[in-house]
Amino acid sequence: MRRAKFCIQLFLLFLVVSFFPAQFSGQGTQTAPSPLWSANHPVDWWFAFKFNAETFPRPTTSVPACMFGGTPGGTRKYTRIGQSYVAASSEHAALAKGPGYLGDSLADPVGATFDEVYNGDLSYIVWNDQFYRSPVLACEGSSAVECGAKWGHSKGMLAWNDDGNGFILQVTTPSWPGAGNSANPRAGDGNSLGCVNDDDVDLSQGFFALKLTKDDLLKVLAALQTEGAVTDPSNPQIAKIGGPQEAKDAAAKLGSPNTTSTFTQATLSSGVQVIAKAGGLAAPPWQFVSAVLGKVPLRVATFWQGALIYSTPGRTKPDCWPTALQSLSPGTVQIVKTGIWDGTTIGLTGTSQKDASGNSLGANHAKIGVSTGSGSPLTIFADMNQDGAISPVGKLTCSSSQNARGGLFFVVENEDLHKSVTALLTGKYAPSKAPAATRTAGTTSAATH
């Protein structure tokens, strides 16, 4: 009788362990959050490129949904709205035209992924050097509307559960997102693409989301500290800090510029690399990335405007090359001016250009790079512009513009993704030297988008 009872107990225990394995494995019980391709469709990563309003405009009869707050076109009533997009994911790594309009519903990756946090119960922290005083941050003076030199130029959101599993959403949009959860909605501005007071949907923009383990989360938090992410962990509008104690401690350290001449490089569990540049590391941003990756030649599209850094060969180190990088050398860095999608030429600089027929090509604010050599097929998603100085000349110094800003770079090795992003960035590119007048006078003015 006892033996029969013992056998029954073992059988019942077997059933419990089979149906609830996480309870007995030492792992957390929560379902790990993931980037969403659409509602209830998790993926390991996705990338979306939103076209500018001049080349792929949203019809004037179609109004942004503003499902996270705001009014269509913002209070400035932008009439040119570009939310058409192409996207790729871990399930289909080649770029393809996406349905609907980006950030407009739960059927697109930005809308679905942001909704997971905004209308969920995850811990989060949001950073953006251009909140435009919504919320007000300590780094903004009485007249300033954004945080300047030495601070990180990155923008995005990190979200995680009680076990420390989560994802990062890197964006290039000034002023979006400006609140992380509906419990503390944004005051003073909108919180949806197409519904904020900045020109986010006029220019092209880039968005990258990546699934993170607890160890990955800690590495990304460390990278955010290195680059000097502009945030405030004590402000509930942009931060809700919970989960493992290590994550709480790391998040609490955010919100200060990093004026040291440092950088970090880490490989995440997905194989994706994250590189962080401190604001005190005064170096041309994309030459820095090329050097850290082992002299990899790059083709780069950014908000190229102001203190322009032109295409550079990889034969010598720039004059603006800090001591911390002396053991490294950059490869060739080529600046893309135009790209192409579905037979349409698009502008890939910070100023709208015209094609041979006089049509406007629009402007770009995404920051994307691809490797161009015979090595690994690398695609880089970032938040730094190729603006600053290679050498001191005129009014330019090695600390001009983005040379002295912090930033993040996520490096993905995937052949299909690389092939399709390379095709998107195919077009005219900048020469290796600025026009003579520019080289002589120099400039320190540069839009900080």
Side-chain angles (χ1 to χ4, degrees):
M1 187 70 178
R2 290 182 179 176
R3 183 173 183 180
K5 185 177 180 180
F6 179 72
C7 290
I8 292 172
Q9 290 174 334
L10 283 178
F11 178 72
L12 291 175
L13 180 61
F14 170 79
L15 290 178
V16 171
V17 172
S18 297
F19 281 100
F20 304 100
Q23 299 279 3
F24 298 89
S25 63
Q27 298 176 358
T29 61
Q30 290 185 317
T31 299
S34 296
L36 297 179
W37 183 245
S38 59
N40 301 314
H41 186 165
V43 293
D44 290 339
W45 62 264
W46 58 252
F47 164 68
F49 178 81
K50 185 195 72 59
F51 294 108
N52 65 58
E54 292 187 49
T55 50
F56 290 94
R58 181 170 185 160
T60 55
T61 55
S62 176
V63 180
C66 302
M67 62 180 181
F68 305 113
T71 58
T75 58
R76 298 183 185 180
K77 299 299 180 185
Y78 285 101
T79 56
R80 297 190 314 174
I81 295 179
Q83 285 175 277
S84 296
Y85 67 100
V86 291
S89 77
S90 53
E91 294 182 346
H92 188 273
L95 290 172
K97 183 72 167 59
Y101 299 101
L102 196 64
D104 220 32
S105 75
L106 302 185
D108 71 76
V110 168
T113 301
F114 186 63
D115 179 76
E116 186 179 6
V117 185
Y118 193 74
N119 290 309
D121 193 32
L122 297 171
S123 293
Y124 61 84
I125 189 159
V126 181
W127 60 94
N128 199 307
D129 63 315
Q130 293 170 282
F131 281 127
Y132 299 135
R133 304 183 70 79
S134 299
V136 176
L137 299 178
C139 56
E140 298 167 332
S142 58
S143 60
V145 294
E146 59 189 67
C147 300
K150 306 300 182 184
W151 283 90
H153 191 51
S154 68
K155 303 162 174 65
M157 177 178 68
L158 195 59
W160 64 94
N161 64 11
D162 290 343
D163 298 327
N165 299 309
F167 60 85
I168 184 170
L169 173 61
Q170 179 198 49
V171 305
T172 64
T173 44
S175 196
W176 186 85
N181 193 273
S182 58
N184 292 280
R186 190 176 193 185
D189 204 341
N191 202 41
S192 312
L193 284 183
C195 310
V196 300
N197 300 333
D198 194 81
D199 55 3
D200 289 351
V201 288
D202 185 7
L203 281 64
S204 295
Q205 304 286 355
F207 306 80
F208 176 64
L210 177 67
K211 187 174 183 178
L212 304 174
T213 65
K214 174 187 171 183
D215 288 343
D216 295 337
L217 173 71
L218 297 176
K219 289 178 181 179
V220 172
L221 284 167
L224 288 169
Q225 185 178 5
T226 296
E227 65 103 5
V230 179
T231 188
D232 180 359
S234 67
N235 187 329
Q237 181 176 310
I238 54 175
K240 175 188 173 185
I241 310 301
Q245 190 61 47
E246 306 99 302
K248 293 179 183 178
D249 293 342
K253 296 177 182 177
L254 299 180
S256 299
N258 184 354
T259 59
T260 64
S261 185
T262 57
F263 70 92
T264 58
Q265 180 181 21
T267 300
L268 307 177
S269 62
S270 57
V272 173
Q273 294 184 60
V274 57
I275 298 171
K277 173 188 176 297
L281 188 71
W286 287 87
Q287 279 75 14
F288 155 75
V289 176
S290 172
V292 171
L293 290 175
K295 209 172 183 177
V296 171
L298 299 175
R299 188 170 172 85
V300 176
T302 71
F303 184 76
W304 195 61
Q305 182 182 5
L308 305 179
I309 298 176
Y310 285 74
S311 299
T312 58
R315 293 190 295 270
T316 59
K317 297 175 184 176
D319 292 335
C320 292
W321 204 242
T323 302
L325 298 178
Q326 285 306 308
S327 63
L328 305 174
S329 298
T332 298
V333 178
Q334 193 177 69
I335 308 304
V336 186
K337 297 178 68 177
T338 63
I340 190 166
W341 177 263
D342 196 24
T344 299
T345 302
I346 56 176
L348 288 177
T349 70
T351 304
S352 182
Q353 306 165 71
K354 294 184 182 299
D355 63 15
S357 301
N359 300 310
S360 179
L361 303 178
N364 171 62
H365 193 245
K367 298 91 164 58
I368 311 168
V370 291
S371 58
T372 60
S374 58
S376 300
L378 304 180
T379 306
I380 305 165
F381 305 121
D383 40 49
M384 297 205 75
N385 306 320
Q386 189 65 338
D387 302 334
I390 290 292
S391 302
V393 57
K395 296 180 180 178
L396 292 177
T397 71
C398 291
S399 294
S400 291
S401 190
Q402 303 250 312
N403 276 33
R405 298 294 296 272
L408 295 180
F409 304 83
F410 288 90
V411 185
V412 181
E413 182 175 345
N414 183 289
E415 187 171 352
D416 289 341
L417 177 66
H418 178 264
K419 183 178 179 180
S420 62
V421 175
T422 297
L424 178 70
L425 303 188
T426 298
K428 295 181 179 179
Y429 57 91
S432 58
K433 289 184 178 181
T438 303
R439 294 199 306 271
T440 301
T443 178
T444 56
S445 63
T448 57
H449 266 48

